[in-house]
Amino acid sequence: PFSIVMHSPEAARRISHLGTYLRFESAIPRRDSELAICATAREFDCHHEYVAHARLARENGISDGTIELIGRRGPLEELPEDDRLPVRFARELLRDNELSDEAFNAARERYGETGVIDLTATIGYYSMMACLLNGLQIIPPDPANRLPSVQ
């Protein structure tokens, strides 16, 4: 998607700098980050982001069942216990515009103070990317690679 953002070189540079930190240097384990990114993409119905990060999620050991459940907005209780927190965190933040004390405290316990900031920033960053991708109508060309319709 950065080829489109390059029409604003300064924005592209700054977006890229933050994205590099969040993807490769964050305090959040890559596997958990990909879960949060997939959940964020699903909340924004961002096909491009979801497809790209579903592939990365698989590469980081996340099962097809978990990816599919996120894609259909399935219940958290059906996710493996280790996968629930990043998805819950993203869903609460994006659906409710806040976090429950339970989700916040669980994230702080699991990731530490820096990790809570990095997880929140990851969700915010990929929300911005979803807005760019959706707003500029960047979608995967293959209909098979699109999100399922969820009511």
Side-chain angles (χ1 to χ4, degrees), residues 1-2 15 18-20 22-24 29-42 46-64 66-68 70-71 87 122-123 125-130 133 140 145 147:
F2 280 98
I15 289 168
L18 178 58
T20 298
L22 292 171
R23 281 198 61 207
F24 304 112
R30 184 71 187 271
R31 185 177 195 288
D32 290 11
S33 179
E34 291 302 334
L35 285 164
I37 295 166
C38 285
T40 300
R42 173 71 263 196
C46 185
H47 301 277
H48 189 286
E49 188 170 77
Y50 183 83
V51 168
H53 285 277
R55 181 182 55 78
L56 293 171
R58 285 182 191 92
E59 289 174 9
N60 282 278
I62 298 167
S63 73
D64 286 338
T66 292
I67 294 166
E68 184 273 331
I70 293 168
V87 175
T122 297
I123 294 163
Y125 176 83
Y126 283 95
S127 294
M128 176 191 61
M129 293 305 296
L133 291 164
N145 285 331
L147 286 160

Side-chain angles (χ1 to χ4, degrees), residues 74-85:
L76 288 174
E77 297 75 29
E78 292 181 17
L79 287 173
E81 179 126 7
D82 286 348
D83 295 348
R84 289 180 193 164
L85 180 58

